[in-house]
Amino acid sequence: MNQVDRLPVARLLAQHTFTWLLFANLVGVLLAALLLWPDFNGVLGALTYGRWVPLHLNWQLYGWCALPLVGVLLNWCLDVRHPQVLLHAQLVLGAWSLALLLGGWSWLTGVTSGKIFLEWHGWARALLTIAMVLLWSVLAAHVWWRRDELKRGGLAGRFAFLMALVVVPSILYLSAGREFYPSVNPDSGGATGSRLLASTLGIVGIYGFIAEALGIARRSVRCWFWGYFIFSGLVCTQIEHGNASHHDLIQVAGLATLLGWLPLTWLYFRGHAGQLLARRWWAAAFCWWVALVGSGLGTFLPNISEQLKFTNAMVAHAHLAMAGLVTSANMAVLAELRAMGSVRGFWLWQGACIAQVALLLALGCIETENEAAVFLSAPVSQLIYAGRLLAGILMLTASLHWWRSSLVRQELGVDL
């Protein structure tokens, strides 16, 4: 299909996506400021640090991290010949953003399940589920309208994928309930190896699908990539999924299978000749991916996990995953979709993110020696918190530029 026909939808996607990145980063800067100057919590009344945390986490996950995937699905399924295609995209993205906005109000007013990343609770519990059902309905309708245009394989593949997606809204709704809780590592209080393996394979599967849907996967590596994915999935199903310790060698060995993904992902994405702007972001994503897998496995090992769990080192790991890997990969995806056209802000974001991760890791190491250090306003801790705030402001500046670019560009794909 003509790529030009998709530009209005791509521009709309960019506006929604960068809006939530900007909002989430604004809240992140507020949180960093409250850690540096905790007395400001009193000025905010009931809207203290704990009320703002779900907004930052969920707007990043369900807004910035999720919407590029929604864009890939729209690009893969929408019938651009339909006279109301832009309206349908507006309905889908508008419903998604409305769910995030109302969800934010819910969390700020204290209506939350208390489960990290699954705070949808009470009257807000069904919001994102409804948005997902609307998205699925639009995708299914457009694939049906395109049935004569798509080749038999393409049509069957899309319908098969949609049949797999149909259960996702109900899974999200059920998972948000307080009656469901994940297994726990009894020796650290954190996640088990099987749980970490499953969540990481989920990321691999998502971006593997994205590469297929965008047509950027290296064909000669495809069988190895998905073959190892099946093998990893089988390994994940065979290790203990209940409460299991990181002292269990099977848990460590299962997680160690992630090392095999380092060469595979490099080869799988390396051979494509897509948008030039995307290549820089894909390269950055791979660097963050190597750091994520290596540090994740290292910090799970016995005698290390006990020291670092629930310190700022784990916060550093979360930033490495979301602000580093997912953000870089999502920027590459948006470039492939021609939903962005400027390279400005790349080094600003990457440099600030590296500083953010390094400072949080340093603070985590301080906590292993003195757990109360972060609460005693020690000079070193305050200096690290100040650096973290500065890094957050720089990342906010980059996201502000991308947001403005999504609003003012007259033609996507043009470098400002």
Side-chain angles (χ1 to χ4, degrees):
M1 291 187 186
N2 192 338
Q3 187 67 27
V4 176
D5 296 335
R6 300 186 181 277
L7 290 184
V9 175
R11 180 173 186 176
L12 182 67
L13 172 69
Q15 291 169 353
H16 282 266
T17 303
F18 287 126
T19 294
W20 289 112
L21 177 63
L22 178 64
F23 284 178
N25 285 347
L26 276 169
V27 177
V29 168
L30 172 62
L31 292 173
L34 290 175
L35 289 172
L36 183 60
W37 299 296
D39 289 343
F40 283 171
N41 279 270
V43 177
L44 297 175
L47 302 181
T48 54
Y49 186 91
R51 294 287 181 91
W52 289 102
V53 167
L55 267 75
H56 177 62
L57 295 178
N58 290 307
W59 282 355
Q60 291 284 13
L61 178 63
Y62 296 106
W64 165 242
C65 294
L67 279 173
L69 175 58
V70 173
V72 171
L73 292 172
L74 293 174
N75 181 77
W76 195 47
C77 294
L78 287 187
D79 183 359
V80 294
R81 302 168 303 175
H82 195 284
Q84 301 299 325
V85 62
L86 184 58
L87 174 61
H88 295 166
Q90 289 172 333
L91 288 174
V92 167
L93 295 172
W96 197 284
S97 289
L98 181 61
L100 292 177
L101 184 63
L102 294 176
W105 175 258
S106 167
W107 305 319
L108 273 182
T109 55
V111 182
T112 174
S113 67
K115 298 169 66 175
I116 188 170
F117 291 123
L118 288 170
E119 282 93 353
W120 305 95
H121 184 64
W123 61 267
R125 186 176 177 183
L127 290 174
L128 193 61
T129 300
I130 294 172
M132 286 182 168
V133 170
L134 177 61
L135 169 64
W136 189 93
S137 301
V138 169
L139 295 176
H142 277 263
V143 170
W144 177 252
W145 292 330
R146 293 178 61 190
R147 64 188 183 278
D148 294 332
E149 170 205 348
L150 294 170
K151 295 180 180 179
R152 180 174 301 178
L155 181 63
R158 283 167 173 79
F159 269 122
F161 190 78
L162 287 173
M163 290 302 102
L165 282 184
V166 75
V167 300
V168 174
S170 58
I171 290 176
L172 174 68
Y173 184 85
L174 293 173
S175 299
R178 290 178 174 174
E179 60 273 19
F180 291 99
Y181 284 90
S183 55
V184 175
N185 182 335
D187 289 332
S188 71
T192 64
S194 58
R195 183 177 159 203
L196 292 171
L197 176 59
S199 61
T200 308
L201 287 179
I203 296 176
V204 171
I206 287 172
Y207 284 102
F209 160 74
I210 286 175
E212 296 286 350
L214 294 178
I216 62 174
R218 195 172 188 176
R219 294 182 179 274
S220 60
V221 187
R222 180 181 290 165
C223 61
W224 292 100
F225 184 92
W226 292 111
Y228 194 72
F229 185 81
I230 294 172
F231 167 76
S232 299
L234 291 174
V235 170
C236 188
T237 61
Q238 295 304 308
I239 60 180
E240 176 61 49
H241 279 265
N243 299 335
S245 170
H246 62 295
H247 290 274
D248 184 350
L249 292 180
I250 297 299
Q251 295 286 314
V252 178
L255 196 60
T257 59
L258 293 175
L259 294 174
W261 284 109
L262 299 183
L264 275 176
T265 49
W266 172 255
L267 294 172
Y268 190 62
F269 288 91
R270 184 171 178 263
H272 95 89
Q275 296 294 323
L276 181 62
L277 174 58
R279 297 179 191 176
R280 177 178 292 186
W281 287 106
W282 283 126
F286 180 77
C287 292
W288 287 112
W289 172 236
V290 172
L292 180 68
V293 172
S295 64
L297 180 59
T299 55
F300 185 75
L301 296 175
N303 302 320
I304 299 177
S305 181
E306 292 90 338
Q307 296 184 55
L308 297 180
K309 185 60 65 178
F310 303 117
T311 70
N312 276 282
M314 293 297 100
V315 183
H317 191 71
H319 280 77
L320 191 158
M322 297 181 73
L325 169 63
V326 176
T327 292
S328 296
N330 279 359
M331 291 296 283
V333 169
L334 292 173
E336 299 285 4
L337 293 173
R338 298 187 67 189
M340 59 172 293
S342 173
V343 75
R344 289 174 56 189
F346 174 86
W347 289 113
L348 180 62
W349 181 276
Q350 299 294 338
C353 188
I354 291 171
Q356 184 89 263
V357 170
L359 289 168
L360 288 168
L361 180 60
L363 193 56
C365 292
I366 292 174
E367 288 180 89
T368 63
E369 301 296 330
N370 180 8
E371 296 88 344
V374 295
F375 303 107
L376 298 177
S377 299
V380 175
S381 299
Q382 290 296 94
L383 184 62
I384 291 176
Y385 276 138
R388 181 188 182 184
L389 175 59
L390 177 59
I393 292 173
L394 294 177
M395 296 168 79
L396 175 63
T397 301
S399 59
L400 178 61
H401 164 70
W402 297 328
W403 175 74
R404 287 184 64 254
S405 297
S406 72
L407 297 180
V408 303
R409 283 212 317 276
Q410 296 301 313
E411 182 179 351
L412 292 175
V414 177
D415 194 2
L416 296 179

